Amino acid sequence: MPAKTASFDPRNYSVVYEEMIESKESRECFRKYLTNTSLSDETILFLDELEYYKKEYDKSIAEIMEILKLENDTLNNSDSTSSITEFSRPTTFKKKSQLKKVTKQLRRITDKSNSIFNIYIKPSSEKELNIGHIQRELLGKHEKIQEKFENFTKLISEKETLGKSASSVSINDTESSNSSQEGSLDSNESNLYPLCSEIIELLDYQKLFNEVELTVHMDLKMDQFPRFVRSQFLLNFLKEKGENFTRTIAIDSSKGVNVDLRFKPNDLMDKTVSDNHIYFGFTLAEDTPDWKLIQDKKLYQSYCSKTPYVFSSSRLKGMQLFKSVMYLPYSFDDVWAMWVHGDNHIKFDPQAHTDYQLHKYVPPCEEGLKENSVDKPMYALQLLTSGLDYKLPFVKKRYFCMTGTTIKDPFNDMYMYVMHTGDFSQDELPRQENGIDAFALSYYIFYKMYDNMTRLVHVMYGDANFKYNSNLILEMFWKKRTKDIYTKMDKLMNELTEGGTKKLQLSDSVDDQCYDKAWRDNQKLYPNRSWYLEWSKSNREKRKSTVFKKE
């Protein structure tokens, strides 16, 4: 029985997803939680199978290296030190047994990859993952592996049928032509080595499964993990395991948590959008120890930050961040087509869009990569004014002068609309004078989950310049806002799609606020750029510097 400290309270600890998922015991606890709460556990089981595949792949590659007597310096793979992607010098199968052993190892890892595809990837498979467009890409890779391996075994079969049994078979055309003692090779035999190398490269888990692995982790972290870390199920598990174990997967948050804001003091006063604004959106979208759950419904949740943040000490008081996570049972493309049409915003969010007006649109330009000004921005700019009626007694409407942009990340089927207040004059962005200027940072992030489910994450930081700040009032306001937006958006989507039977056409939407135009213009300047992968890589590097005390 693990030793327990009398004062140990697991509620003082915040579990870190990356540490939890790497621990065999806590990972199994997570899987049991998913099963017990009627949530799907195929994602955890897939990760278990993938870990096994990685070990078996590395083992098979080590065997092949030994068989071919290759040194480590013959490997050329920047992504994985464990796989062979290119043989950089002439290599021969000196005995028939070598070819036979290599074939056995290739068949071994090919069969294991087939097992993963048959259970988790193929349509209508036993535990099919909801991975969107990645599924089609993976199936294409799988088909190519099957084709190459069949060709490889076919060439071997033809060789055996022809009865060619030279004492030393060269697998390199150059060596074959220069070495008379090896004898000349027929075309079938000379193709064996390139095929072997290509199959090994195609089976490399970094290239074959890396994208789906990242997607699965993202879905687990954003959907099931937030409920798991707040569950009595996990609390009981940590009480049983004790403080020493808890410290290996969690951090002590009883004295506060440091959150990487990625912001400079003047970021809410800037008139443009930078990489930091986009990266911060990903940070806020995921569940961190600083988020307190204040409303938990089946298809939407509300959160507020435990810590008040100050982005500009000269003009802003410390305020909480607020977040809504909503699950809309409609396709990703339909939800986006609805969002693009400006008039729809008044229907699902009249509170913030009654006085919403786009004053100017500025396309991005290459000069903006160095200058990043309103005239020459690095991202397309949507310059706008907006009003927000808090509907509180004796509280005037607040007005926001904002700059924003929209991106589409090619990696994870995601749109992000980010906007923040800027230090604009009345001449630059006119607004009504009977209200009060306020300051804010806001995100709307759309994720494609699967065919008929879209996740919407809405985050807001705001200083409405109240004479007093009441966290209780603001939490009540945010819970109501989350419920209202979800209810009205769901109703609107149901009407537009005629109960989910009609496909919305983006061409029918009037993009008067330039949401769609902005991401397309940004994509032209940054083709194939994934801000999510950049942010994810930066986070991994930061985690490497975090020390967890192991038992």
Side-chain angles (χ1 to χ4, degrees):
M1 181 71 66
K4 300 182 180 65
T5 304
S7 60
F8 169 60
D9 185 349
R11 290 172 297 184
N12 291 332
Y13 288 82
S14 298
V15 175
V16 178
Y17 173 82
E18 289 76 15
E19 301 300 324
M20 179 279 296
I21 208 71
E22 289 181 5
S23 164
K24 183 177 180 180
E25 290 179 280
S26 59
R27 184 162 164 164
E28 176 61 15
C29 176
F30 191 19
R31 188 194 66 77
K32 289 181 179 179
Y33 168 80
L34 295 177
T35 303
N36 293 345
T37 54
S38 299
L39 296 172
S40 176
D41 66 347
E42 69 263 12
T43 47
I44 293 289
L45 294 176
F46 165 76
L47 292 175
D48 289 342
E49 286 293 324
L50 182 56
E51 287 303 311
Y52 179 67
Y53 175 80
K54 290 178 180 180
K55 293 177 182 178
E56 292 301 305
Y57 177 87
D58 288 343
K59 183 178 178 181
S60 290
I61 293 305
E63 290 285 343
I64 292 174
M65 290 171 62
E66 179 64 25
I67 292 167
L68 299 180
K69 300 187 182 302
L70 293 175
E71 300 295 333
N72 287 336
D73 62 0
T74 66
L75 303 181
N76 180 18
N77 181 7
S78 60
D79 295 323
S80 172
T81 59
S82 62
S83 65
I84 299 176
T85 60
E86 179 182 345
F87 296 116
S88 59
R89 66 184 183 220
T91 305
T92 61
F93 290 121
K94 295 183 178 180
K95 297 180 181 179
K96 287 183 179 181
S97 59
Q98 288 183 318
L99 180 58
K100 185 176 181 180
K101 290 177 181 178
V102 168
T103 303
K104 179 181 178 181
Q105 294 301 325
L106 286 182
R107 187 183 300 279
R108 182 167 174 264
I109 52 180
T110 299
D111 288 345
K112 293 189 182 304
S113 72
N114 288 341
S115 176
I116 292 178
F117 275 91
N118 291 335
I119 297 174
Y120 300 99
I121 308 299
K122 288 185 176 180
S124 302
S125 54
E126 180 183 351
K127 293 184 177 295
E128 181 183 356
L129 299 173
N130 291 310
I131 50 178
H133 74 280
I134 298 176
Q135 183 183 46
R136 295 188 295 273
E137 296 174 3
L138 278 172
L139 291 174
K141 292 179 180 179
H142 182 246
E143 184 178 347
K144 189 173 183 180
I145 291 171
Q146 295 293 97
E147 178 186 347
K148 296 294 182 182
F149 187 73
E150 287 176 6
N151 289 341
F152 183 76
T153 55
K154 182 180 178 181
L155 287 174
I156 294 175
S157 178
E158 290 176 353
K159 173 185 178 298
E160 292 175 347
T161 301
L162 292 173
K164 295 190 175 183
S165 55
S167 60
S168 180
V169 181
S170 173
I171 311 301
N172 181 278
D173 290 337
T174 303
E175 180 172 326
S176 173
S177 62
N178 294 334
S179 178
S180 59
Q181 67 178 8
E182 297 287 354
S184 61
L185 296 177
D186 63 32
S187 59
N188 283 353
E189 290 173 332
S190 64
N191 285 333
L192 286 175
Y193 176 76
L195 269 177
C196 176
S197 177
E198 190 172 359
I199 293 168
I200 289 173
E201 182 176 0
L202 289 171
L203 289 167
D204 181 358
Y205 50 79
Q206 288 280 13
K207 297 182 178 180
L208 183 58
F209 292 118
N210 185 57
E211 191 171 2
V212 65
E213 183 180 16
L214 285 173
T215 299
V216 165
H217 279 303
M218 183 179 70
D219 286 341
L220 280 173
K221 193 172 185 178
M222 295 191 67
D223 293 339
Q224 292 94 341
F225 182 69
R227 289 189 172 98
F228 172 62
V229 295
R230 295 169 176 83
S231 68
Q232 188 65 39
F233 193 87
L234 175 62
L235 188 64
N236 292 340
F237 170 76
L238 295 179
K239 285 181 179 179
E240 177 66 26
K241 297 300 296 181
E243 186 171 12
N244 287 340
F245 174 83
T246 300
R247 286 182 178 274
T248 68
I249 64 169
I251 56 177
D252 186 349
S253 57
S254 60
K255 298 180 181 179
V257 178
N258 292 324
V259 179
D260 177 20
L261 291 179
R262 299 176 181 266
F263 265 68
K264 303 184 296 293
N266 65 340
D267 273 341
L268 283 190
M269 298 296 106
D270 283 348
K271 299 178 182 180
T272 61
V273 175
S274 68
D275 288 343
N276 278 345
H277 293 102
I278 295 172
Y279 295 149
F280 190 38
F282 291 119
T283 298
L284 297 179
E286 70 173 2
D287 192 61
T288 64
D290 195 51
W291 285 116
K292 179 177 71 172
L293 181 66
I294 58 176
Q295 180 173 230
D296 187 12
K297 302 297 181 181
K298 184 177 181 179
L299 292 175
Y300 61 87
Q301 294 89 40
S302 301
Y303 300 84
C304 73
S305 63
K306 299 174 184 177
T307 307
Y309 296 102
V310 177
F311 293 104
S312 176
S313 58
S314 63
R315 298 186 65 172
L316 297 177
K317 297 181 281 292
M319 295 284 287
Q320 263 71 25
L321 287 154
F322 289 90
K323 176 168 68 173
S324 304
V325 180
M326 312 174 202
Y327 298 90
L328 298 164
Y330 304 94
S331 77
F332 180 70
D333 292 336
D334 285 349
V335 171
W336 183 248
M338 177 277 297
W339 173 269
V340 166
H341 195 77
D343 288 348
N344 288 333
H345 289 245
I346 299 176
K347 298 176 182 178
F348 67 76
D349 190 12
Q351 190 177 37
H353 285 82
T354 303
D355 298 305
Y356 193 95
Q357 181 180 356
L358 179 70
H359 293 267
K360 186 178 181 181
Y361 174 81
V362 186
C365 61
E366 291 187 5
E367 293 92 331
L369 298 176
K370 294 181 179 180
E371 183 175 330
N372 198 22
S373 64
V374 172
D375 296 326
K376 295 180 179 180
M378 64 184 297
Y379 290 106
L381 295 182
Q382 297 155 268
L383 304 179
L384 58 99
T385 54
S386 178
L388 181 61
D389 186 354
Y390 282 85
K391 297 187 181 299
L392 296 174
F394 311 110
V395 175
K396 290 184 178 181
K397 184 178 290 187
R398 265 50 183 174
Y399 288 99
F400 303 86
C401 297
M402 309 194 79
T403 182
T405 197
T406 309
I407 63 164
K408 184 178 183 181
D409 196 287
F411 170 74
N412 54 0
D413 275 342
M414 177 225 74
Y415 291 106
M416 176 190 289
Y417 173 51
V418 51
M419 57 180 176
H420 66 85
T421 48
D423 193 13
F424 293 97
S425 67
Q426 179 73 15
D427 291 335
E428 290 176 306
L429 287 182
R431 58 270 195 192
Q432 297 183 27
E433 297 182 356
N434 61 341
I436 297 177
D437 282 349
F439 310 96
L441 168 70
S442 182
Y443 294 89
Y444 293 88
I445 310 175
F446 301 83
Y447 296 89
K448 180 179 180 179
M449 297 184 65
Y450 34 93
D451 289 344
N452 290 307
M453 185 63 72
T454 301
R455 181 197 301 118
L456 169 58
V457 178
H458 173 35
V459 183
M460 179 175 284
Y461 169 89
D463 183 354
N465 273 334
F466 290 142
K467 292 183 178 179
Y468 59 90
N469 288 330
S470 170
N471 291 339
L472 179 60
I473 292 176
L474 291 174
E475 287 183 17
M476 291 174 59
F477 162 77
W478 191 256
K479 288 192 290 185
K480 185 177 186 304
R481 175 170 172 77
T482 301
K483 179 181 178 180
D484 287 349
I485 290 179
Y486 176 81
T487 302
K488 292 174 182 177
M489 191 176 285
D490 180 56
K491 179 181 178 181
L492 177 60
M493 286 298 303
N494 187 62
E495 293 173 354
L496 293 174
T497 62
E498 298 179 2
T501 62
K502 177 183 176 182
K503 180 74 175 175
L504 300 186
Q505 300 299 320
L506 184 61
S507 58
D508 295 335
S509 298
V510 180
D511 188 24
D512 52 356
Q513 303 300 322
C514 297
Y515 296 115
D516 202 67
K517 179 176 176 56
W519 82 258
R520 293 182 188 277
D521 285 347
N522 285 329
Q523 186 184 60
K524 292 176 184 177
L525 188 59
Y526 307 101
N528 301 317
R529 180 180 179 182
S530 174
W531 294 268
Y532 175 79
L533 289 180
E534 293 169 4
W535 169 83
S536 181
K537 180 180 179 181
S538 175
N539 268 14
R540 287 197 300 271
E541 291 172 352
K542 285 182 172 61
R543 284 197 299 272
K544 288 179 181 178
S545 63
T546 301
V547 178
F548 284 82
K549 182 180 178 182
K550 303 295 181 182
E551 288 183 299

